[in-house]
Amino acid sequence: MGLIWSLIVGAIIGAIAGAITNRGAAMGWIANIVAGLIGAWIGQGLLGTWGPSLAGMALIPSIIGAIILVLIVSLVVGRTSEK
C-alpha cells in the first residue's frame, strides 16, 4: 500500500509543479508521477526533510525539487525542439 501512496503523492507533487511553472498542460499523469518522485528526491537531497510530510515525502522540499526538475527538463526539451 505504501507504493500506491507514493505514486499518488508523486502525481500530486508533479501536477503542482507543472501548474506553478505553467508547463503542466503538456505533461501526462505518468510524467507528473515521475516528476513528483524524482523532484521529491532532488528537493529532499538539497533542502532536507523539513515541513509536513505525506507518504514519506516532505511536501515543501519535494514541490521545490519538482519545480526545479520541470524547469530544467522544459529548457532542455525546448532547446532540442528548436534545432
Side-chain angles (χ1 to χ4, degrees), residues 1-77:
M1 191 68 169
L3 176 65
I4 294 171
W5 278 112
S6 294
L7 294 175
I8 292 170
V9 173
I12 293 169
I13 290 170
I16 291 171
I20 290 173
T21 60
N22 289 327
R23 305 218 186 328
M27 293 172 42
W29 279 105
I30 294 176
N32 280 335
I33 292 170
V34 171
L37 293 175
I38 295 174
W41 180 73
I42 292 170
Q44 290 180 38
L46 294 174
L47 304 172
T49 56
W50 52 274
S53 65
L54 189 60
M57 291 181 253
L59 296 179
I60 297 171
S62 297
I63 292 170
I64 293 170
I67 290 170
I68 292 168
L69 178 67
V70 168
L71 289 173
I72 290 171
V73 168
S74 65
L75 285 173
V76 170
V77 170

